[in-house]
Amino acid sequence: RIPEGQGGNWAPLTAKANYNANPNKVVQMNVVVVYHKSIKSSYQSVYKRVADMIRHHNATYQFGSKPFGVVEAGDMNQHWGAIERYFGGTKLPDNVFVLDLARPPRGQSNDPAYGAVKCFLAKGGFLSQFVNFQTHDHGRSRDARDEKKSTTILSGVARQILSKCGVRVWWVTIPKEVPLPAVFVGVDVFHAPRKFDPKEGKRKAGKESIAAIIVQILRSHNPAENSLVEIYCETESRAAGKEMELGPAMNRAVSNALKAFKVAPSSCYIFRDGVGDNSIEQVSQQEIPAVRQALSNPGQVVGAKTKAANVPLSYIVCQKRIATKFLTLQGDAIPCGGLITDIQGPQYKTFYINGTSPPFSTPKPVRFVMAHNDPPLYGVSPSKLAWALCHDYPNWAGPIKLPAPVQMAHKLAELAGEMGDCGDTINHKKFAGKIHFL
């Protein structure tokens, strides 16, 4: 448990977390290490450090003392080509995890082969984690400061690996009034940056947009009963710039999630990103009935009734790109987690959450618009639920702003946008229960 007074500096404490997994239920991952040829002399020591850090957490998933397989790779096609040859010619066991120790070409901060490698592995349903040796060379620490930096980065990598495998690396308390089992749905659409077309003399969309849908299930308020995450995700490529008409995709994702985890929910919360004020009514009227249909059809769920009662549903639009900022008359900074409810829209109930409090600038809050809320959920505080779920996301690299389901949808859509096939071949069913896109 993070002490109340150390909430602003929790990372060192999570590095010492002990998850006390049942030894009889520990899963040994078969790790395939892919390393750039320039770090041939150090990849073994780096793997051992990562494996030891994972073992130290005493979680359900563990790395062995030695990798199952090793692949030497180069740049670009020598990177993804080496991986394709290995996976094409090797009989692999279950529970394969790919640890890619990459060094981007000189002058580049990111590996240009990243999208191709991720696309190939996602098609096969293989979990993977990149470690960028351009950011820091973990095999050559010049002094104690370098060694400390390497340890900090690799401890974060270890926690991220556990998250991808399905370990709940920390627990947040949601309002007790939320009826359980609860389904949290996050939706976001990634739009590729526009590129200048010299023939037409204007900027045009480079490729299709990608919609990502996350379905997260919570069964109990007791942390001991939720040591592993229950998450299902799907993506859908669509015409460039198309944000709406996601009802069928949401229906399919929620239906598949309920079947995958065999759950009959008691409540559902939808967090929708990317919807402007003028489109809220139209989008909600498209998507709410589609999700309701999925929730009311538990025919494939073990133990569920043939005809389910109406599951209470709440539909909340999250708006990041707003011009609203908050200042105090005394000149003090708005505190982290500051809740503002006095500014209401003309049609829907709204609230703002100020997720961060930088000392020398004015942060942008997130506006939450309550587009729909069924009466059985009136007793649940949507602001407390949203703020709790903001901390449930296990891989924040910047300000805490969005609830975990919609932030994960953003991350997945962005990852699929880097793939050559826009994520159309991701093996979503094999990734059920895994946060593979972190």
Side-chain angles (χ1 to χ4, degrees):
R1 180 178 175 85
I2 303 297
E4 295 292 338
Q6 298 188 38
N9 189 28
W10 48 264
L13 297 176
T14 57
K16 303 175 184 177
N18 185 342
Y19 300 108
N20 297 312
N22 185 338
N24 296 324
K25 295 184 178 180
V26 169
V27 177
Q28 196 79 10
M29 302 301 290
N30 295 294
V31 185
V32 176
V33 175
V34 180
Y35 67 88
H36 191 271
K37 57 186 179 183
S38 65
I39 56 174
K40 185 174 183 177
S41 61
S42 59
Y43 81 87
Q44 291 178 327
S45 63
V46 174
Y47 170 78
K48 185 177 184 305
R49 290 174 64 192
V50 173
D52 288 345
M53 289 176 179
I54 293 174
R55 200 175 303 115
H56 171 77
H57 285 300
N58 194 22
T60 303
Y61 296 89
Q62 298 285 337
F63 278 14
S65 56
K66 293 183 179 180
F68 170 81
V70 176
V71 179
E72 182 176 290
D75 298 327
M76 299 297 288
N77 61 337
Q78 295 180 6
H79 188 167
W80 66 71
I83 294 174
E84 289 178 0
R85 286 192 295 273
Y86 177 83
F87 279 85
T90 305
K91 186 176 181 180
L92 296 170
D94 294 331
N95 302 317
V96 170
F97 193 103
V98 178
L99 181 64
D100 197 315
L101 309 179
R103 188 191 292 278
R106 187 183 299 273
Q108 299 188 41
S109 57
N110 297 316
D111 196 329
Y114 178 84
V117 173
K118 281 287 187 180
C119 183
F120 174 80
L121 296 176
K123 184 177 181 179
F126 298 113
L127 295 171
S128 61
Q129 173 68 43
F130 272 62
V131 179
N132 191 335
F133 272 63
Q134 195 78 294
T135 304
H136 187 83
D137 191 336
H138 300 282
R140 299 179 183 177
S141 295
R142 295 168 294 182
D143 50 32
R145 184 179 178 182
D146 253 14
E147 184 68 21
K148 183 179 179 180
K149 181 178 180 181
S150 176
T151 300
T152 300
I153 294 173
L154 292 182
S155 64
V157 167
R159 290 196 304 274
Q160 192 165 334
I161 288 172
L162 290 176
S163 293
K164 289 183 175 184
C165 290
V167 175
R168 188 181 291 278
V169 294
W170 58 64
W171 172 263
V172 296
T173 302
I174 67 170
K176 300 291 185 182
E177 297 80 7
V178 175
L180 299 181
V183 172
F184 301 108
V185 182
V187 184
D188 196 12
V189 181
F190 170 78
H191 304 291
R194 292 180 173 270
K195 297 181 179 180
F196 181 76
D197 186 341
K199 293 183 178 180
E200 297 190 18
K202 61 181 181 180
R203 295 171 65 86
K204 297 178 62 178
K207 58 192 302 188
E208 297 101 326
S209 295
I210 297 99
I213 302 161
I214 298 291
V215 183
Q216 183 175 2
I217 296 167
L218 187 66
R219 298 178 188 263
S220 171
H221 290 290
N222 184 357
E225 298 176 8
N226 293 275
S227 60
L228 299 177
V229 298
E230 290 186 293
I231 284 179
Y232 182 85
C233 62
E234 288 193 7
T235 58
E236 179 180 274
S237 58
R238 51 217 337 265
K242 189 177 182 180
E243 186 80 41
M244 297 187 288
E245 299 179 14
L246 279 173
M250 293 173 66
N251 176 285
R252 183 176 63 250
V254 174
S255 296
N256 289 338
L258 299 183
K259 293 173 185 177
F261 296 110
K262 299 178 174 59
V263 60
S266 297
S267 63
C268 177
Y269 283 84
I270 303 171
F271 294 93
R272 179 66 152 93
D273 196 0
V275 179
D277 291 338
N278 297 331
S279 305
I280 291 176
E281 183 176 4
Q282 179 184 357
V283 173
S284 61
Q285 288 179 353
Q286 291 173 350
E287 297 175 358
I288 290 176
V291 175
R292 281 199 192 280
Q293 184 184 29
L295 295 171
S296 63
N297 184 26
Q300 299 295 325
V301 179
V302 177
K305 299 177 181 179
T306 54
K307 185 177 181 181
N310 290 333
V311 177
L313 180 147
S314 182
Y315 188 96
I316 304 172
V317 174
C318 310
Q319 297 177 335
K320 305 188 300 291
R321 298 181 181 180
I322 58 175
T324 308
K325 293 186 178 183
F326 297 105
L327 304 169
T328 63
L329 294 176
Q330 296 78 17
D332 299 327
I334 299 291
C336 293
L339 171 66
I340 299 94
T341 58
D342 291 340
I343 303 176
Q344 293 296 327
Q347 189 175 358
Y348 303 106
K349 182 180 178 181
T350 63
F351 61 91
Y352 297 78
I353 292 183
N354 199 66
T356 184
S357 183
F360 302 112
S361 63
T362 307
K364 283 186 177 181
V366 174
R367 179 194 292 138
F368 294 85
V369 182
M370 298 289 299
H372 181 86
N373 197 34
D374 284 334
L377 301 179
Y378 284 174
V380 180
S381 169
S383 58
K384 289 182 179 179
L385 176 61
W387 184 235
L389 290 177
C390 284
H391 293 79
D392 194 39
Y393 182 67
N395 194 36
W396 282 111
I400 295 173
K401 300 183 70 173
L402 290 170
V406 73
Q407 176 62 22
M408 286 192 279
H410 170 78
K411 182 72 174 179
L412 174 59
E414 197 172 48
L415 173 64
E418 295 186 42
M419 297 180 179
D421 63 357
C422 297
D424 288 341
T425 58
I426 296 176
N427 193 335
H428 298 295
K429 291 185 178 180
K430 196 168 182 180
F431 282 136
K434 315 292 184 185
I435 316 179
H436 69 95
F437 46 81
L438 288 181

